[in-house]
Amino acid sequence: MHYLLLIHDDESADNGDLMPEYTAYTQELQASGALVGANQLQPSDTATTVRVRNGEQVVTDGPFAEAKEVLGGYYLIDVDSLDEALEWAAKIPSARYGGIEVRPVVMRRAEVGA
Amino acid sequence: MPANPAAWLVTVARNRAIDRMRRDATLRRKTELLVPAEAEPVDEDDAIPDERLNLVFACCHPALALEAQIALTLRALGGLETGEIARAFLVPEPTMAQRLVRAKRKIRDAGIPFRIPADTILTDRLRAVLRVVYLIFNAGYGPPVRRELCNEAIRLGAMLALLMPDESEVHGLHALLLYQDARRDARVADGSLVLLEDQDRDLWDEAEIAAGHRALERALALPSGGTYVLQASIAAAHGADGSDWPRIAGLYARLAEVEPSPVVELNRAVAVAMARGPEAGLDLLERIEGLDGFYLFHSARADLLRRLDRPAAGAYARAIALAPSELERAFLERRLSELRR
């Protein structure tokens, strides 16, 4: 099953340089064969939200919702069950400061058969 | 229990299983080239218990809300229908049915596994399972008493003891449930709650206490007992011919280390009061923080104040205001009126 591990944390907090840890984590994930994709996002003040209402585009500055913990990046992994997904999520360096939302990905028939 | 509990829970997981079978078939095709196919040995006696354990761990998965864990466990592994579970937890049947449907859907869609968890997380997951069983028992222990829940919890406890014979906490919980259940007839008299110290111990179910002793012996023969083994040991120290209060106070002190909580401290204070007198107990009790909204804290305090001939009416009033049921309120009001005499 595919799971998206959404990394939520407080961008204003100084948690030191987590990059070496993230690099090691990503390598471990890759070596296990579970890694499908991953990306770090630019800070949330670079976010733009688009809504279309009655055919009109409304573009606003900022992320969809104001929250202390914001989406900062994600991993997409392929593992057997929620337990493995939770285990990988717990190892993400930011799990110690923010939280990792673990979301199963909807697999359409075409993808499953592939 | 559904005619086929696994099927009831698993039908929703069928798509996932089909995917896996498809993968397995591919793997088999590949490996058949290397190794001649051999029939796998099938041991029916082993297969059935394993499946029940897998079910327990799926039903009590921490990704499910606690109330859903309880409902699922009762439905998939207990002997209760949805309507009975709904009545036991005082919710409308459609609400309970909806809760079960939502929980089963999460098991399927989130990929909650049907298997015994890996060793690294087994302790935590087992704790979650035992908590669900204990909560089921407590929901039935009342008051008001709902026998069907107590019976289900004991049945689940016995099943787990059979399936996980090397886990001390499993036997500890099983023993604890048996001891508590054995006191059910002595616990309520004339519609009122009877404190353990005032219970007619002749009403205790001797056979069930003996079963509790056997379960506790199995627990104590294993290493690393935790909260349930300690709680069962405490229950065992309340014997038919009296309670060993110094031992009980010591066990509560250990329990407070294993599982620090103000409620454990409260029980410890009460035990110390019995072992060394109300003064020592009250001394410990007054140091507890965070129980101001808990009626048992105020009723224990009232009781100690009464025994020390100090003003206790205020503590009784507070306990009565917080009492969760009529039965408990009636008991406290009787004590308060005795005070006034």
Side-chain angles (χ1 to χ4, degrees), chain A residues 7-69:
Chain A
I7 302 162
H8 295 273
D9 61 6
D10 180 355
E11 304 175 294
S12 59
D14 180 7
N15 299 323
D17 183 13
L18 296 176
M19 271 326 282
E21 270 193 77
Y22 263 104
T23 306
Y25 171 77
T26 308
Q27 279 165 358
E28 191 191 343
L29 197 51
Q30 190 152 33
S32 80
L35 184 67
V36 178
N39 274 304
Q40 181 184 4
L41 305 180
Q42 294 287 355
S44 63
D45 60 11
T46 64
T48 311
T49 301
V50 180
R51 292 177 179 82
V52 177
R53 297 288 183 273
N54 305 319
E56 295 245 3
Q57 248 192 55
V58 184
V59 176
T60 49
D61 175 38
F64 188 74
E66 288 294 329
K68 193 165 150 283
E69 290 187 346

Side-chain angles (χ1 to χ4, degrees), chain A residues 1-3 78-87 102-105 107 109 112-114, chain B residues 15-16 19-20 22-23 61-63 106 108-113 115 117-118 120-121 125:
Chain A
M1 274 183 81
H2 283 190
Y3 293 86
D78 183 10
V79 291
D80 275 348
S81 81
L82 183 64
D83 279 358
E84 289 81 16
L86 294 175
E87 200 182 328
V102 178
R103 294 285 291 269
V105 173
M107 303 293 269
R109 291 234 165 264
V112 171
Chain B
N15 288 343
R16 220 154 30 100
D19 293 344
R20 185 181 302 269
R22 212 176 279 157
R23 242 183 299 157
H61 198 283
K106 178 152 188 190
R108 176 193 63 190
D109 292 345
I112 289 176
R115 59 157 191 252
T120 47
I121 52 171
R125 292 291 168 82

